[in-house]
Amino acid sequence: MMRPLWFALLLVIAAAPLALGRPLEQPPLRPGESLSGRFVQERHLAGLTAPLVSEGRFLLAAGKGLVWHTEKPFDTTIVITPAGLLQLVDGREVQRLPAARAPLLARLYTMLGGALGGDWSAMAQDFSVERRSGEAGWTILLKPLAGDDPAAVPLQSIAIAGSAFVDSVEIHRPNGDWDHLTFSNEVRSSAPLAGADARLLETDAP
Amino acid sequence: MKRAALLWLVLVLAASAYLLTRLLGGVQFQTDFTALLPQEERDPGVQQAKDRVAQILNRRIVVLIGDRERATARAAGAALAEELRHSGLTASVTYTTSGDGLRKLGESFFRYRFGLLTAGDRALLQQGRGEEIVARALASVYGPIGIADANLLRHDPFLLLPTYLADLPRPLPRLAPDDGVLSTQDGQEHYVLITAELAGDPFALAFADRFVARFDQAEQRLRAATPDLRVLRLGTIFYAEAGAAAATRETSAISIVSLLGTVLLVLAVFRALRPLGLTLLAIGTGVICAFAVSLWLFGTLHVAALLFGVSLIGIALDYCLQYLTARFNPEDGTPAQRLRRVLPGIVLGITTTLIGYLTLLLAPFPGLRQVAVFSAVGLVASFATVLLWLPALDQAAPLAHGEGLLRAAGWLWEFWEEPRRRYRWPRQVLCAALAVAALLGAWRLRAEDDIRRYEALSPPLKQQEAELRRLTGINGGTEFLLVRAADEESALETEESLLDRLQQGKAEGVLSGFQAIAQVIPSAARQRDNRTLVRDRLMAPFLASYDERLGLPAGAAHDVGDPGPLTLAAIPAGSPLALLHDLDLGAGTGGAMHVVLLYGVARLGALRQIAEAVPGVRLIDPVGDLTRLLGQYRRRAVLVLALSALLMLPVVYWRYGLRGGMRVALPPAIAVLATPPLVALAGVPFTFFNAMALVLVLSVGFDYAVFCRETDAAHRPATMLGVWLAMATTLLSFGLLGASRVFAVHAFGITLLVGTLLAFFAAPVAGTSTTNRSRLSQGGQ
């Protein structure tokens, strides 16, 4: 059940640095570099009176992983590294999933690594990839291909749009639920990681 | 004499007829080791559980297929699974666990969701920390990994069921479903897992052969397509097949050498066929009578008792050969004369041997008793055949071709007793060397009852197993816990208090995991309690504000009515949890009986304490039980050995006096005492099988010594030829077993080899008394 969301999340990350400068041509994030910014996520669930809105900041460190820190409406953090996944609420660990228990996660890392390097072939095994670029920016539309177990992919499409950076992502599910994410204040840096982020990615990683 | 011979014929025929009817009637031989336990230690419930768990464990195979290409590994996995499924040799094959199975499980559990809490959630609610569950639910709903839709939130607002399902124990901790296939990744390699349950008994050789051949074929086909494919297999059947194949090759080699050697030896010595036939007749009547009487007395026989019994009857060969070699004495022209010549030796030999065998009766172990009766009856029957039939069947004149043979056979005697003391130095050096070797060996001598350590398992299979265990985290042993209670509900409640302790033990490193029904199906009492906790400590204080915060429409149906308890029957067959049905052994026992499987047991003692602390729980350790059983049997056998040696002394004292008796006792004493340390020098520990071989060595030692003592100077060469032949045939039939790679057989064989050689070598010492000495010096003048 967790699969589509991991996909979505990681594809966003893959696409974000891709959009830096010349898309699809050269690896945008070099080892030691990181990309950070803010996000707003709207989750539209059928039957709910209003979308669930959350916001916070993210950090992607090349070769290390991702920190997804939701600040509003409350504090929760997800850390994804090649070693696995860790979730914290108010700084307290509530879930930890080693990569060995989730081969999917490891596969996603392969895909991610490929996408960061401009190689979309790993992605193309599971998705049809449609790219368009125009004057104002570019879009990428991903649709899942049927796997061995269709029930495992309750995901309809992922649309990513951006210009210099990723601006927005929309994820649609078969039951009509959809998420809309917008990104802002994206900054690329080559300074070493520090503080809580460094700890989460370098020492606490599952 | 003739009447007695006829009577004996009637008896043997009667025994044969009885044996035949029993065998044709399909007599069931005992094969399980608990049948060898003293009566009071047996428990049919435990035995049933052991059999069931052994069946679960033994009938399962696990295969891991790996390749650098995920798609290749998956294709190969699917192909092999299909092949196994259509082989007709498997009861079930599991490759893809579709999301469908999981969804069905979720659906069947859904009604009971508020009675199902993880240990952590239950503790939080008990401590009044419900807000932490609320925070976690909110984080899930908002978080990037959102698992909830509005429908789920309406029925399970705090996502308790997904939490419960995610927390269920996993027997394969390192594997996770990837697109419906249990998979793992190791470096660059992608692995997929196939498990299957066999349709037949892995220890049934024909089935094992067929299955492994089929599996090998399938693997070869896969490799032909993808040479770099890794295929790792694990299962009792693979070891059983490899072991049986090795044992079959080895057994046929050993028995051919043994049979050919014996036949050639007897033919070469007697230059006639008849002695061979007579020998077989004596042993054959022994085995038939032993078999018939034992079946009549015990109703059945244990296969182990049968094997040892037949081995022990083999000693009858000694008496038969003593009689037959008397033909080399020219002055004993008739069979009656020959029999008279050797009778005192044979009677004394058989008396001491009978004492040795019957002492086994004193041990309160059914196995040893069966061996005692079997071997004693067989021995007496063989003796009767030698006594009553052989003279009638063997009318031939004395043999005249034996001069060279006799001289050669007599040499050993000269070595000990030649007049000019030519062999004094070699004799002393040899004895000293033996003593030093025995002392060195005594230093290395130690008892071992866990014969698993010495089993020669196929090394490639062991390698694959280690690799597969590393990749999957499978680390189950053969230990398990047995929970017995009056009914299902109390069994579950017992398990619940057990699980708390096991969890504690897991934290302390006693074991790495466990699998129990109560982990998935809480007791009805616990489910009621959970529902109350959810209602009073979660729904009542937090639900209204939670719904409002998420914007769930008012009046959403949070159904907390009582659906009755979730039971084992709710788990659908074919679901990932279907294994739990195997853990329920209650059917037909009148009460409830559950098995708790254990993984990675590191401290058995601590585990035993955990089990003992909960009434109704018992730790079952089949391998440990077998080890303890073998240990008990080993200690008994040694005691019996010592006792029978003591009981033999009065017999030789009565016949030869104190000094003479001591001399006769010396060769068997040397053989029995020096053999274990000498064998230990070769790195073989002392086990029950060595002890049983020593019982035989003691009897052989007394036989050889008595034969040497009873003979006189003129007939000494013929006697020594008989002893020499007895030694050689014993070595050919049993000593060769020392070459076996099956540890128990090897230990038995090598002990017999060394012991018989020592007994033979030292036998003339028994004859060199003062009376013999004076006769010898007369003969020398």
Side-chain angles (χ1 to χ4, degrees):
Chain A
M1 274 201 282
M2 291 184 175
R3 177 179 171 138
L5 297 131
W6 278 348
F7 264 112
L9 189 66
L10 283 150
L11 288 172
V12 169
I13 306 151
L18 191 74
L20 292 164
R22 303 165 295 278
L24 320 183
E25 277 174 20
Q26 70 180 62
L29 272 195
R30 283 181 291 273
E33 285 191 321
S34 63
L35 178 77
S36 60
R38 297 197 59 80
F39 66 85
V40 177
Q41 175 191 290
E42 279 174 33
R43 175 158 294 163
H44 299 263
L45 299 181
L48 257 61
T49 48
L52 305 172
V53 182
S54 59
E55 60 172 282
R57 49 173 208 87
F58 72 90
L59 169 83
L60 173 75
K64 287 182 176 160
L66 169 80
V67 178
W68 189 265
H69 186 173
T70 306
E71 294 161 354
K72 283 180 191 170
F74 48 81
D75 193 291
T76 173
T77 304
I78 285 204
V79 184
I80 301 176
T81 68
L85 176 146
L86 177 71
Q87 184 172 14
L88 308 136
V89 173
D90 290 331
R92 203 183 57 240
E93 177 182 328
V94 293
Q95 196 188 13
R96 182 180 281 264
L97 195 66
R101 270 179 75 164
L104 183 67
L105 206 62
R107 253 179 79 213
L108 287 173
Y109 255 88
T110 317
M111 278 190 210
L112 175 63
L116 280 169
D119 173 13
W120 287 73
S121 65
M123 202 80 87
Q125 278 191 3
D126 290 83
F127 290 91
S128 69
V129 184
E130 206 181 306
R131 273 165 287 172
R132 272 183 210 144
S133 41
E135 288 296 305
W138 48 268
T139 58
I140 298 174
L141 182 68
L142 299 164
K143 285 185 175 172
L145 303 169
D148 291 355
D149 184 13
V153 194
L155 189 68
Q156 214 163 41
S157 67
I158 303 171
I160 308 165
S163 51
F165 297 101
V166 170
D167 297 329
S168 70
V169 174
E170 219 166 87
I171 303 159
H172 284 265
R173 281 183 264 180
N175 64 359
D177 291 349
W178 56 284
D179 287 359
H180 182 85
L181 294 107
T182 47
F183 296 92
S184 60
N185 294 358
E186 281 150 295
V187 176
R188 183 179 175 171
S189 157
S190 55
L193 299 179
D197 291 337
R199 206 186 57 238
L200 285 171
L201 282 174
E202 286 162 4
T203 47
D204 278 5
Chain B
M1 208 62 175
K2 215 165 205 164
R3 285 241 296 276
L6 277 176
L7 182 65
W8 180 231
L9 180 64
V10 171
L11 282 176
V12 171
L13 285 177
S16 309
Y18 175 75
L19 184 60
L20 207 61
T21 51
R22 284 300 304 269
L23 290 180
L24 289 178
V27 63
Q28 285 287 320
F29 292 104
Q30 297 167 302
T31 49
D32 64 280
F33 281 97
T34 45
L36 297 173
L37 274 174
Q39 194 79 41
E40 65 271 19
E41 288 184 31
R42 287 184 235 168
D43 181 333
V46 169
Q47 189 52 41
Q48 190 204 347
K50 272 187 188 173
D51 292 348
R52 183 69 175 274
V53 172
Q55 188 177 343
I56 294 175
L57 297 177
N58 288 336
R59 290 210 173 182
R60 183 154 299 159
I61 64 160
V62 180
V63 184
L64 213 51
I65 296 185
D67 194 83
R68 281 176 169 253
E69 288 297 322
R70 172 175 172 269
T72 311
R74 290 172 74 94
L80 182 61
E82 201 57 19
E83 179 85 24
L84 290 176
R85 209 168 275 137
H86 289 120
S87 64
L89 303 172
T90 53
S92 69
V93 177
T94 311
Y95 178 56
T96 45
T97 42
S98 66
D100 206 40
L102 268 174
R103 198 165 46 238
K104 269 190 199 141
L105 190 73
E107 278 164 13
S108 54
F109 276 30
F110 196 72
R111 292 177 61 202
Y112 310 99
R113 61 195 175 282
F114 296 119
L116 307 175
L117 288 176
T118 66
D121 285 0
R122 187 174 149 81
L124 283 177
L125 291 180
Q126 280 172 329
Q127 294 159 20
R129 289 159 64 193
E131 67 278 3
E132 291 180 28
I133 294 179
V134 177
R136 187 187 63 207
L138 280 173
S140 289
V141 175
Y142 276 94
I145 301 182
I147 56 166
D149 59 18
N151 192 39
L152 179 60
L153 286 175
R154 247 197 310 277
H155 292 99
D156 187 8
F158 300 106
L159 307 177
L160 293 174
L161 186 62
T163 311
Y164 186 76
L165 292 176
D167 195 53
L168 288 178
R170 292 164 182 242
L172 302 168
R174 303 224 178 97
L175 297 177
D178 169 14
D179 220 354
V181 177
L182 278 179
S183 311
T184 187
Q185 211 179 346
D186 183 48
Q188 297 291 309
E189 299 271 318
H190 295 266
Y191 286 95
V192 295
L193 180 93
I194 303 170
T195 55
E197 198 189 327
L198 301 172
D201 181 0
F203 295 107
L205 292 186
F207 179 80
D209 280 349
R210 240 168 357 126
F211 180 81
V212 175
R214 192 73 188 256
F215 190 96
D216 287 343
Q217 261 173 25
E219 184 179 331
Q220 271 158 23
R221 257 202 298 279
L222 292 177
R223 275 187 200 288
T226 322
D228 288 343
L229 198 71
R230 296 195 74 189
V231 180
L232 304 173
R233 49 172 97 174
L234 171 61
T236 306
I237 193 163
F238 298 117
Y239 283 111
E241 192 270 343
T248 311
R249 283 195 301 272
E250 171 194 295
T251 311
S252 47
I254 289 181
S255 46
I256 286 170
V257 172
S258 161
L259 193 67
L260 271 183
T262 311
V263 170
L264 287 179
L265 186 68
V266 174
L267 283 182
V269 168
F270 293 103
R271 298 186 191 172
L273 269 172
R274 184 173 293 235
L276 194 64
L278 296 178
T279 315
L280 287 178
L281 182 69
I283 304 281
T285 48
V287 171
I288 287 171
C289 294
F291 214 152
V293 170
S294 303
L295 277 182
W296 177 64
L297 269 180
F298 299 113
T300 177
L301 263 182
H302 199 282
V303 282
L306 188 63
L307 288 177
F308 281 122
V310 172
S311 301
L312 293 180
I313 291 177
I315 201 176
L317 209 65
D318 294 2
Y319 314 119
C320 198
L321 287 169
Q322 273 301 305
Y323 168 78
L324 290 172
T325 48
R327 271 177 72 192
F328 285 104
N329 291 327
E331 73 271 33
D332 295 333
T334 67
Q337 279 174 321
R338 298 202 276 267
L339 187 60
R340 246 196 322 279
R341 167 91 48 208
V342 297
L343 198 55
I346 300 186
V347 170
L348 255 116
I350 204 168
T351 310
T352 51
T353 302
L354 269 181
I355 288 173
Y357 290 0
L358 286 174
T359 323
L360 291 173
L361 274 178
L362 298 177
F365 291 95
L368 291 183
R369 287 191 177 173
Q370 288 184 5
V371 173
V373 169
F374 192 97
S375 54
V377 170
L379 194 60
V380 171
S382 290
F383 175 69
T385 302
V386 172
L387 196 66
L388 300 173
W389 289 0
L390 258 50
L393 295 172
D394 172 40
Q395 295 297 342
L399 292 166
H401 67 263
E403 204 175 320
L405 274 174
L406 292 174
R407 205 171 320 115
W411 178 85
L412 183 65
W413 202 296
E414 282 178 34
F415 177 78
W416 286 106
E417 163 92 9
E418 44 74 33
R420 277 165 304 201
R421 314 255 165 205
R422 190 163 21 130
Y423 296 114
R424 190 170 171 185
W425 278 105
R427 208 157 57 211
Q428 282 172 350
V429 169
L430 198 65
C431 289
L434 263 179
V436 170
L439 282 176
L440 279 178
W443 188 55
R444 290 192 60 180
L445 184 66
R446 80 216 135 74
E448 175 62 72
D449 303 312
D450 186 357
I451 60 165
R452 271 178 316 163
R453 289 190 208 154
Y454 294 90
E455 289 300 349
L457 293 175
S458 150
L461 284 178
K462 264 170 113 169
Q463 224 167 3
Q464 290 188 36
E465 168 170 354
E467 184 68 356
L468 192 142
R469 283 180 184 275
R470 180 181 73 79
L471 289 167
T472 56
I474 294 177
N475 58 358
T478 54
E479 307 92 351
F480 63 94
L481 294 169
L482 191 61
V483 177
R484 280 197 276 192
D487 53 40
E488 199 62 23
E489 172 65 10
S490 22
L492 288 174
E493 285 174 24
T494 307
E495 263 185 51
E496 276 162 359
S497 56
L498 173 68
L499 288 177
D500 291 342
R501 288 167 205 265
L502 284 178
Q503 197 62 46
Q504 178 78 20
K506 187 177 165 184
E508 289 165 5
V510 173
L511 75 174
S512 72
F514 42 87
Q515 197 167 23
I517 295 174
Q519 280 172 301
V520 180
I521 314 286
S523 66
R526 165 103 18 131
Q527 291 186 48
R528 269 196 306 278
D529 193 44
N530 284 346
R531 264 196 301 277
T532 312
L533 281 172
V534 169
R535 189 187 62 215
D536 296 348
R537 308 241 173 131
L538 196 59
M539 296 295 185
F542 301 112
L543 184 61
S545 61
Y546 181 84
D547 277 356
E548 197 181 348
R549 179 163 196 178
L550 292 183
L552 274 171
H558 300 308
D559 168 27
V560 279
D562 186 353
L566 171 71
T567 60
L568 192 55
I571 294 179
S575 89
L577 292 175
L579 170 77
L580 287 182
H581 288 292
D582 286 340
L583 302 184
D584 176 23
L585 306 184
T589 56
M593 189 152 83
H594 289 181
V595 166
V596 178
L597 295 179
L598 306 171
Y599 303 111
V601 175
R603 303 209 310 263
L604 200 62
L607 197 61
R608 199 175 293 278
Q609 280 174 5
I610 290 175
E612 279 164 4
V614 186
V617 179
R618 191 169 157 185
L619 176 69
I620 310 289
D621 173 18
V623 172
D625 286 351
L626 180 58
T627 299
R628 264 187 300 285
L629 181 69
L630 283 175
Q632 285 173 332
Y633 268 70
R634 172 179 56 79
R635 282 185 289 274
R636 284 296 158 169
V638 170
L639 269 180
V640 161
L641 185 69
L643 191 63
S644 61
L646 282 178
L647 290 174
M648 288 173 189
L649 286 180
V651 179
V652 288
Y653 170 71
W654 165 79
R655 175 80 178 166
Y656 307 116
L658 189 59
R659 276 185 69 97
M662 289 311 231
R663 286 201 87 103
V664 168
L666 198 57
I670 290 173
V672 167
L673 291 176
T675 298
L678 286 179
V679 168
L681 262 190
V684 180
F686 191 75
T687 67
F688 167 67
F689 307 99
N690 305 59
M692 284 309 284
L694 283 184
V695 172
L696 195 51
V697 166
L698 180 69
S699 300
V700 163
F702 263 105
D703 280 357
Y704 297 171
V706 164
F707 297 156
C708 286
R709 181 79 196 183
E710 285 291 332
T711 192
D712 57 41
H715 304 101
R716 193 171 287 157
T719 303
M720 283 312 286
L721 182 60
V723 171
W724 196 90
L725 267 179
M727 180 274 293
T729 47
T730 304
L731 291 191
L732 279 173
S733 42
F734 301 118
L736 274 182
L737 298 179
S740 171
R741 283 193 304 173
V742 179
F743 176 74
V745 178
H746 171 71
F748 187 82
I750 197 164
T751 304
L752 209 52
L753 178 83
V754 174
T756 308
L757 277 175
L758 279 176
F760 168 72
F761 174 69
V765 173
T768 51
S769 70
T770 40
T771 46
N772 280 357
R773 201 177 291 268
S774 62
R775 270 187 216 154
L776 187 79
S777 53
Q778 279 164 23
Q781 278 163 5

